[in-house]
Amino acid sequence: MSFIKKIFGSEPKQRAVTQVKDLQINDMISMSDSFGLPSLIRDQQFQVTAINCYEFEHKVQTEWVLSGQSDIELYLSLEVDDKTYLKFSLKIADNDVETLFDLEQFSTVFDEPGNAVLDRLDNSELTLDWSDISYQQQAYAQVGYFHRKDNRNSQLSAYEGKDSGEQFELYTLYNQDENKGIDIEVWQDGDTDVFLTLFRPVTDIVDMYPGS
């Protein structure tokens, strides 16, 4: 057998995925059936369809774009503090924001020095299980750069220009337990993206395996 292997070569070893930080495009993840997860995530499988990154002054955060059975894209990143948590982000539309919050109160997020409090009015069908009753602002106009590239194998430009990424300002709020939040990204052309965020233990991903 060893003689045959020498002639024909052995089969290439398949890549194993054991940690979230090693996920690549086309890899798959399977989620827990925990009732602490929104129905959009609970007991679902997702495929990584793109990898981006957010560059800030003191850190670069990798983002995995996830696609599942629904048409709704989710965004996964790792929040590293004393422990490492999964951060899921759900992009919501203007009508969802109008359902969730009083717009006059929502506009105070953009007032200096950034101490806004947002109280939920109601949920839309999309935001159910994702939102909380109240949020306190934690970040005001934090400058960042969005790169449509994987920072783990691509060098990010330290200079302005075509490779410097898309500049934006980040406004962040958290609920009392800091396990749910809101990220608001304001781009240089005035476009604004709003995300509901959810922080979960890494054990909520029960399986990972490489894509084809």
Side-chain angles (χ1 to χ4, degrees), residues 41-89:
I41 299 177
R42 187 188 316 126
D43 200 24
Q44 297 294 312
Q45 285 192 331
F46 296 95
Q47 184 173 40
V48 178
T49 56
I51 300 174
N52 306 309
C53 69
Y54 286 88
E55 179 187 11
F56 299 99
E57 183 178 3
H58 298 297
K59 69 175 181 178
V60 178
Q61 190 169 49
T62 307
E63 174 191 79
W64 295 271
V65 183
L66 304 179
S67 295
Q69 290 184 337
S70 75
D71 294 330
I72 301 170
E73 280 188 339
L74 293 174
Y75 305 91
L76 171 66
S77 56
L78 292 175
E79 194 73 15
V80 181
D81 198 353
D82 294 334
K83 294 182 178 180
T84 299
Y85 294 92
L86 304 172
K87 177 184 178 181
F88 291 97
S89 299

Side-chain angles (χ1 to χ4, degrees), residues 6-122:
K6 286 181 181 179
I7 296 176
F8 296 103
S10 58
E11 292 185 4
K13 187 176 181 181
Q14 188 177 28
R15 181 175 64 90
V17 186
T18 58
Q19 298 186 72
V20 176
K21 67 181 181 67
D22 297 326
L23 285 169
Q24 302 287 350
I25 290 177
N26 293 327
D27 287 352
M28 303 289 296
I29 65 172
S30 296
M31 298 301 302
S32 161
D33 60 0
S34 167
F35 284 102
L37 290 170
S39 57
L40 191 62
I41 299 177
R42 187 188 316 126
D43 200 24
Q44 297 294 312
Q45 285 192 331
F46 296 95
Q47 184 173 40
V48 178
T49 56
I51 300 174
N52 306 309
C53 69
Y54 286 88
E55 179 187 11
F56 299 99
E57 183 178 3
H58 298 297
K59 69 175 181 178
V60 178
Q61 190 169 49
T62 307
E63 174 191 79
W64 295 271
V65 183
L66 304 179
S67 295
Q69 290 184 337
S70 75
D71 294 330
I72 301 170
E73 280 188 339
L74 293 174
Y75 305 91
L76 171 66
S77 56
L78 292 175
E79 194 73 15
V80 181
D81 198 353
D82 294 334
K83 294 182 178 180
T84 299
Y85 294 92
L86 304 172
K87 177 184 178 181
F88 291 97
S89 299
L90 171 70
K91 187 176 181 178
I92 61 175
D94 291 347
N95 61 306
D96 296 309
V97 176
E98 293 172 6
T99 301
L100 279 168
F101 305 112
D102 174 82
L103 292 185
E104 186 173 341
Q105 187 185 48
F106 186 81
S107 69
T108 62
V109 171
F110 308 106
D111 295 339
E112 292 188 73
N115 293 325
V117 174
L118 294 184
D119 299 313
R120 185 182 65 197
L121 297 177
D122 201 358

